[in-house]
Amino acid sequence: MLQVDLNTLADSQVKNFEVERDTITIENHVPRKVALAPTVMETQVPDQCNTEMASGNSASKSEESHKVKATVTIQQTTGGLLSGVVTAGLDGFTDLVGKSLLLELISVQLDPKTKSEKRIKAYAEKKEAKEEEEYEAWFEIPGDFGEVGAVAVENEHHNEMLLKKIVIHEEHGSVNFTCNSWVQPKHEGSLMRTFFSNKSYLPSETPSGLKSLREGELVALRGNGEGERKKTERIYDYDVYNDLGDPDTNIKLKRPVLGGKQHPYPRRCRTGRKLSHADPLSEKRSISMYVPRDEVFGETKQTQFTATTASSGLKAILQSLNSVAANKNLVFSSFEDINMLFKDGFSVPQLKNDGLLQRIIPTLIKAASDSDQILRFDTPETVKRDSFFWFSDEEFARETLAGVNPYSIELVKEWPLRSKLDPQIYGPAESAITREVIEQQINGNKTVEEAIAEKKLFILDYHDLLLPYVGKVREIEGTTLYGSRTLFFLTTRGTLKPLAIELTRPPLNGKPQWKQVFTPNGHSTSLWLWRLAKAHVLAHDSGYHELVSHWLRTHCAVEPFIIATHRQLSAMHPIYRLLHAHLRYTMEINALARKVLISASGIIEISFSPRKYSMELSSVAYDQLWRFDLQGLPNDLIHRGMAMEDPSAPHGLKLAIEDYPFANDGLLIWDALKSWVTDYVNHCYPNPSLIHSDHELQSWWTEIRTIGHGDKKDEPWWPILRTPKDLIEVITTIAWVASAHHASVNFAQYDYGGYFPNRPSIARIKMPTEDPTKEEWEKFVNRPEDTLLECFPSQIQATLVMAVLRLLSDHSPDEQYIGDFVEDSWGEDENVKVAYEKFHGRLKEIEGIIDSRNKDSGLKNRNGVGMVPYELMKPFSGAGVTGKGIPYSISI
């Protein structure tokens, strides 16, 4: 039992209350009923409502006035920023006296005499507590007040509250306000929050009574670009990636600033933290990282994220870091040891909790048990179906079309293959993959020219991207790097056959360029060299997947879209409401990534081949490869030569490989998204001239191009927003990237990377044929399996990546899937509602189409013995690691 002396309360909380005694008793944190002077709460529908006309409104009560009820729904929360038994008790007290939540109804009309806003205010009374708390207020509305278009809310509790919705119950029907926003308490200096009804308005259509509120809310969200942001704020602003390093802890942890002429990059959310002492260009690291308050995980999401982090084994892995500090290169001694990770488990020593990763990622390990000393992982679906799947060359090729990175495979368009790098620096540009190599591998059935003309040759090309980093990376202990090319041939069965791998080392340490081609058949020596070369290529593909296909093209590229949407599009703008579902949780997960995944000595730098150059490499990829107009699926496929325009073909595209599961299913989703966006945009912009005259929309697109992606602002390929068609393409592209693109590269990560020999994150040793010593060659000849295991990630690298992939592949119970979640505003416009129902129905049809394709034995890239069916483009899913489901947003 806790007693609170009212004399210690702030005067502002006491002076308006009449109470019979000085002490309130609180049991179980819930205030007891106390004797109070009569208040408005004591009558269900008061004869004289506790209602005042706000200052500036000259209207008086009219004979036509009527009573209106407002209900406010607050989500009960045990986490977030709510804390403190005492303040909870104080909030209970203010609820009892009916002075905790002040509402102001705002008319869509201005007062015709004063030209000021019409406002009526009243306090809301708390009703019986349920899963969601409900408050109720009564208003006396003059007959000439007009439609309620906004509600201003003042939180007079001591704690913030999560405001879910407000409903105004009018005689002619309800006016709904979907809020889903944290409202800060008045005593902390928070201004009244304004929420607009679910009715959407273009800027030119904004009612007179809401115009200044619309503009003022956007100004507040932009902030002034000064000072350090507080965790309770809702300010959206831009900054460069200058917070990945930690030079104040160790100057070796200094990292280049990403963003600007030297290292072009998208912008992140500004936090305003102080600059580093050791490197004035870098921002200081901190335990917590600001994201706008409404972008933070909800309780269900946070609970799932924390629990999955604990169960994935991260704590045990992190504790083992100290034991391997002297030998972080400790490898698995056999494949039996690797398999033990999924059976009896793998023991790690119990150690003190002060290792490097324990310091830099406390968020991820806070819920893990200190006694977790056994690493035991869930068996990936791929291994459950076929424990030897990873050994197959056909599976190696199939995963370029139906695996976790289907964005890299390209059609070979020119011959011979040549590098575009400077030969004076990197050596001869000609590839070592010759005509003879290719024609021998395809059994002399075709010439190279015929194969190219018939679109039979395909390539994974990481040569020019990686080669400039080979020398730098090789200076780091425990890793190596090559530039690589891998060629594939399209067989008559519609599958890809690997033909050759070329690995290249540039001139280095006085040695000339080294390059060699490896093929998949022949003598046992050649076969083991092929397996090792394949491990190197898989490491290259894994790194490219995480750094470019996944992080750069989805998480990183989308953050500026989110910031600009909040800064330039009013919450009542129809395009804001169309995009809103695609923005959820992305800024929070990106902030976590900056803390623990992509930071200096973070998980990526520890575990992937480029090591400390990983993020710098992603900047190079952004500079050389990223174009907004190529982010939509059809243009991406055409650019890679994987499709060509054909009006007579489904989706208007003819695929170069007919059985390309990602492309076939993805185009179904793209078309469904585009149809939904088309219906929505055409309804909101019936006159094409409205696009050009929409100053919020034009400011939004300008800010994305010139600030959010400002390092590419002068590129000629940016679309210009002139017509509904332009807008439809832009919005569909953003929606695709945030939903289906991200789903395609994320939710099968554990299935394909959970057994790390299938997708090693790093190749740690060079090829045995590259300038070998006698001892190295003899070791390879006598124990080739040991050489392969030594090339694979170390124990700590492998298990760390496995734990993270398990975490990232997991769907939260509160996931919002495309076509399965409806923004409230969509349902209140009959035309939009009909368009959404059509979208939902089409997605249900797509689920059935994908199921039938997976059962088609003629589709060899998605159907076969022991093969995991391709389900990543199935829109819906349950919670957990399912390998399917497309959330609206990048939520993990």
Side-chain angles (χ1 to χ4, degrees):
M1 186 176 292
L2 175 68
Q3 291 195 332
V4 181
D5 189 341
L6 293 185
N7 293 325
T8 66
L9 299 179
D11 289 342
S12 63
Q13 296 295 317
V14 179
K15 61 184 180 182
N16 293 326
F17 304 153
E18 294 182 60
V19 295
E20 290 188 345
R21 61 190 182 202
D22 289 342
T23 303
I24 297 176
T25 301
I26 303 172
E27 272 188 86
N28 298 327
H29 308 173
V30 179
R32 290 185 177 217
K33 184 87 172 180
V34 296
L36 300 170
T39 67
V40 66
M41 74 171 67
E42 295 179 321
T43 51
Q44 187 74 10
V45 182
D47 292 331
Q48 291 189 348
C49 297
N50 182 23
T51 300
E52 300 176 37
M53 299 297 291
S55 60
N57 184 359
S58 62
S60 59
K61 284 188 178 181
S62 160
E63 292 182 1
E64 300 175 357
S65 66
H66 60 284
K67 293 182 176 68
V68 168
K69 183 175 73 170
T71 56
V72 182
T73 303
I74 307 293
Q75 181 172 309
Q76 292 186 347
T77 175
T78 57
L81 302 179
L82 297 180
S83 61
V85 174
V86 174
T87 54
L90 295 175
D91 287 345
F93 174 71
T94 53
D95 281 335
L96 281 173
V97 297
K99 296 283 186 177
S100 59
L101 191 62
L102 178 64
L103 305 182
E104 287 189 356
L105 306 189
I106 305 171
S107 173
V108 298
Q109 304 170 357
L110 289 177
D111 187 289
K113 296 180 180 179
T114 65
K115 304 301 181 185
S116 59
E117 294 162 0
K118 295 181 183 180
R119 292 174 177 249
I120 299 179
K121 64 183 178 181
Y123 279 99
E125 167 199 348
K126 184 178 180 180
K127 309 307 289 182
E128 246 182 75
K130 302 175 184 176
E131 286 187 13
E132 293 182 322
E133 296 178 352
E134 192 169 280
Y135 288 72
E136 187 178 283
W138 287 90
F139 297 84
E140 187 84 22
I141 305 292
D144 61 355
F145 186 75
E147 180 185 346
V148 178
V151 178
V153 178
E154 184 172 81
N155 174 14
E156 299 189 8
H157 289 98
H158 280 72
N159 291 315
E160 64 174 1
M161 58 171 53
L162 180 53
L163 179 56
K164 298 294 291 182
K165 64 181 178 181
I166 302 170
V167 180
I168 309 298
H169 303 274
E170 294 268 20
E171 293 177 358
H172 58 274
S174 298
V175 182
N176 299 301
F177 300 75
T178 301
C179 307
N180 292 322
S181 182
W182 291 93
V183 180
Q184 301 307 315
K186 176 183 176 182
H187 77 87
E188 291 185 359
S190 176
L191 301 175
M192 292 191 81
R193 287 287 308 283
T194 302
F195 296 94
F196 300 109
S197 75
N198 291 349
K199 187 173 182 178
S200 299
Y201 299 97
L202 295 175
S204 61
E205 301 168 340
T206 310
S208 60
L210 304 181
K211 283 185 177 179
S212 64
L213 293 172
R214 180 175 188 145
E215 295 165 1
E217 181 72 2
L218 288 173
V219 169
L221 289 168
R222 293 171 194 148
N224 60 10
E226 299 176 359
E228 183 171 353
R229 297 272 65 86
K230 299 176 182 178
K231 60 186 178 181
T232 56
E233 292 179 329
R234 301 166 50 247
I235 292 175
Y236 296 78
D237 203 354
Y238 300 94
D239 208 343
V240 294
Y241 280 75
N242 63 348
D243 63 343
L244 301 180
D246 190 8
D248 285 345
T249 297
N250 187 332
I251 196 61
K252 292 182 179 180
L253 298 179
K254 176 183 174 181
R255 295 293 181 266
V257 175
L258 303 185
K261 187 174 182 179
Q262 187 174 1
H263 298 291
Y265 218 56
R267 298 302 189 260
R268 63 168 174 89
C269 180
R270 179 184 177 275
T271 66
R273 289 172 293 181
K274 294 179 181 179
L275 297 178
S276 160
H277 296 298
D279 175 25
L281 296 178
S282 297
E283 198 171 73
K284 279 183 174 290
R285 301 282 293 172
S286 59
I287 294 177
S288 62
M289 189 175 292
Y290 169 79
V291 294
R293 184 66 183 100
D294 290 340
E295 305 299 328
V296 175
F297 289 164
E299 280 202 350
T300 301
K301 174 72 172 180
Q302 184 60 59
T303 300
Q304 174 268 344
F305 186 82
T306 303
T308 306
T309 300
S311 65
S312 68
L314 269 178
K315 181 63 176 290
I317 301 167
L318 299 177
Q319 285 184 323
S320 72
L321 281 177
N322 286 342
S323 70
V324 296
N327 183 13
K328 291 183 180 179
N329 297 322
L330 186 63
V331 300
F332 289 94
S333 60
S334 67
F335 283 94
E336 287 77 12
D337 281 350
I338 296 173
N339 294 334
M340 287 293 288
L341 292 170
F342 310 106
K343 297 178 181 177
D344 297 333
F346 190 83
S347 297
V348 294
Q350 189 162 359
L351 299 152
K352 58 184 181 180
N353 189 27
D354 62 354
L356 174 63
L357 281 186
Q358 286 95 322
R359 293 198 302 272
I360 68 171
I361 57 175
T363 306
L364 290 182
I365 65 173
K366 62 185 179 184
S369 166
D370 289 336
S371 63
D372 289 339
Q373 297 304 316
I374 300 294
L375 297 181
R376 186 182 296 107
F377 291 90
D378 296 333
T379 304
E381 185 64 24
T382 46
V383 178
K384 288 180 182 177
R385 290 172 178 256
D386 180 0
S387 58
F388 298 103
F389 82 104
W390 67 279
F391 219 54
S392 162
D393 287 339
E394 187 163 298
E395 176 66 14
F396 166 53
R398 188 190 74 87
E399 288 182 25
T400 66
L401 304 173
V404 76
N405 183 32
Y407 278 96
S408 288
I409 190 77
E410 297 179 81
L411 180 71
V412 175
K413 302 172 186 176
E414 297 177 350
W415 190 264
L417 303 175
R418 289 180 57 87
S419 171
K420 296 179 182 178
L421 298 174
D422 186 349
Q424 297 298 316
I425 300 173
Y426 299 104
E430 295 78 12
S431 170
I433 302 177
T434 63
R435 173 190 308 276
E436 291 73 22
V437 170
I438 298 302
E439 293 177 357
Q440 181 181 4
Q441 288 298 308
I442 58 178
N443 301 319
N445 291 330
K446 295 181 186 296
T447 66
V448 169
E449 287 78 12
E450 288 172 338
I452 292 175
E454 295 174 16
K455 298 185 177 181
K456 298 288 188 181
L457 281 185
F458 297 84
I459 188 171
L460 285 181
D461 191 351
Y462 299 128
H463 184 277
D464 284 9
L465 181 65
L466 297 182
L467 202 63
Y469 282 87
V470 170
K472 297 177 182 179
V473 169
R474 287 189 172 207
E475 293 176 359
I476 303 171
E477 180 186 359
T479 189
T480 192
L481 194 64
Y482 294 100
S484 69
R485 297 184 180 101
T486 307
L487 280 183
F488 302 88
F489 180 74
L490 181 62
T491 69
T492 56
R493 298 169 62 242
T495 60
L496 290 177
K497 173 187 176 182
L499 300 180
I501 292 173
E502 177 187 26
L503 300 178
T504 304
R505 180 203 69 198
L508 196 63
N509 299 326
K511 297 178 180 179
Q513 182 194 70
W514 177 91
K515 64 178 68 169
Q516 186 171 347
V517 175
F518 304 90
T519 55
N521 51 14
H523 188 264
S524 62
T525 302
S526 298
L527 187 58
W528 273 102
L529 287 172
W530 167 256
R531 290 168 181 162
L532 284 162
K534 192 165 68 168
H536 281 272
V537 169
L538 287 167
H540 300 166
D541 190 65
S542 294
Y544 185 89
H545 161 252
E546 291 295 359
L547 293 170
V548 181
S549 301
H550 187 189
W551 164 256
L552 175 65
R553 292 185 62 180
T554 65
H555 290 260
C556 184
V558 165
E559 184 151 338
F561 305 151
I562 298 171
I563 297 171
T565 299
H566 286 282
R567 286 168 55 89
Q568 299 298 340
L569 296 181
S570 167
M572 69 172 76
H573 197 294
I575 298 304
Y576 175 93
R577 286 176 164 156
L578 177 59
L579 285 173
H580 185 252
H582 295 288
L583 315 181
R584 184 174 184 248
Y585 293 157
T586 304
M587 293 181 75
E588 168 81 343
I589 199 67
N590 285 3
L592 285 169
R594 300 205 315 273
K595 286 171 64 176
V596 305
L597 290 177
I598 62 175
S599 56
S601 286
I603 292 169
I604 293 291
E605 286 198 4
I606 287 173
S607 306
F608 285 78
S609 287
R611 298 294 293 271
K612 72 176 185 178
Y613 299 103
S614 293
M615 293 307 293
E616 184 180 326
L617 187 63
S618 74
S619 170
V620 173
Y622 178 71
D623 184 35
Q624 296 179 1
L625 305 175
W626 191 88
R627 293 174 46 162
F628 180 85
D629 63 328
L630 298 181
Q631 300 312 299
L633 180 59
N635 287 351
D636 171 78
L637 293 170
I638 292 169
H639 178 70
R640 290 189 283 124
M642 301 303 292
M644 61 182 295
E645 292 186 79
D646 182 352
S648 66
H651 320 289
L653 294 177
K654 179 177 176 57
L655 295 178
I657 300 175
E658 291 184 11
D659 183 14
Y660 186 175
F662 160 68
N664 279 307
D665 296 357
L667 286 168
L668 293 173
I669 299 297
W670 170 270
D671 281 357
L673 279 170
K674 189 169 185 177
S675 177
W676 153 240
V677 172
T678 298
D679 291 342
Y680 189 100
V681 168
N682 286 338
H683 171 64
C684 297
Y685 294 92
N687 186 338
S689 66
L690 292 171
I691 298 286
H692 186 265
S693 63
D694 186 339
H695 69 270
E696 285 186 6
L697 185 71
Q698 295 299 330
S699 296
W700 168 76
W701 187 235
T702 298
E703 186 167 288
I704 286 172
R705 292 183 293 109
T706 62
I707 301 178
H709 285 275
D711 294 337
K712 288 181 172 281
K713 65 180 184 296
D714 297 323
E715 296 288 356
W717 39 254
W718 283 106
I720 299 174
L721 287 188
R722 291 196 183 101
T723 67
K725 182 180 179 182
D726 298 331
L727 181 58
I728 289 164
E729 191 69 22
V730 166
I731 298 299
T732 305
T733 297
I734 293 173
W736 164 266
V737 171
S739 59
H741 179 149
H742 180 259
S744 71
V745 297
N746 185 75
F747 290 109
Q749 289 193 89
Y750 191 69
D751 282 344
Y752 288 103
Y755 188 76
F756 70 85
N758 185 59
R759 287 188 66 78
S761 62
I762 190 171
R764 300 175 57 256
I765 60 172
K766 62 183 178 63
M767 291 293 293
T769 52
E770 184 199 337
D771 305 326
T773 65
K774 181 180 179 181
E775 291 77 12
E776 288 171 341
W777 184 253
E778 288 181 352
K779 179 180 179 181
F780 167 64
V781 170
N782 294 326
R783 293 286 299 172
E785 183 177 311
D786 289 352
T787 302
L788 182 60
L789 288 166
E790 191 177 347
C791 186
F792 282 157
S794 68
Q795 291 183 14
I796 194 65
Q797 290 168 333
T799 52
L800 189 58
V801 169
M802 289 167 67
V804 170
L805 297 186
R806 171 63 177 79
L807 175 68
L808 298 181
S809 300
D810 198 80
H811 282 298
S812 172
D814 70 342
E815 201 84 88
Q816 294 177 355
Y817 300 98
I818 59 171
D820 200 40
F821 166 80
V822 186
E823 288 280 345
D824 291 342
S825 63
W826 302 347
E828 295 195 18
D829 183 307
E830 191 59 34
N831 289 295
V832 173
K833 182 180 178 182
V834 169
Y836 174 80
E837 289 172 349
K838 184 178 79 171
F839 177 50
H840 172 79
R842 178 55 180 159
L843 293 176
K844 286 289 188 182
E845 292 174 0
I846 289 172
E847 287 244 314
I849 292 171
I850 291 174
D851 286 339
S852 65
R853 286 174 174 176
N854 286 329
K855 294 175 183 177
D856 186 343
S857 59
L859 299 176
K860 303 299 183 183
N861 291 319
R862 62 193 309 154
N863 179 286
V865 174
M867 187 180 295
V868 175
Y870 189 78
E871 296 186 314
L872 285 166
M873 293 292 95
K874 292 187 70 172
F876 313 118
S877 173
V881 178
T882 65
K884 60 185 176 182
I886 305 176
Y888 278 102
S889 65
I890 302 165
S891 58
I892 187 64

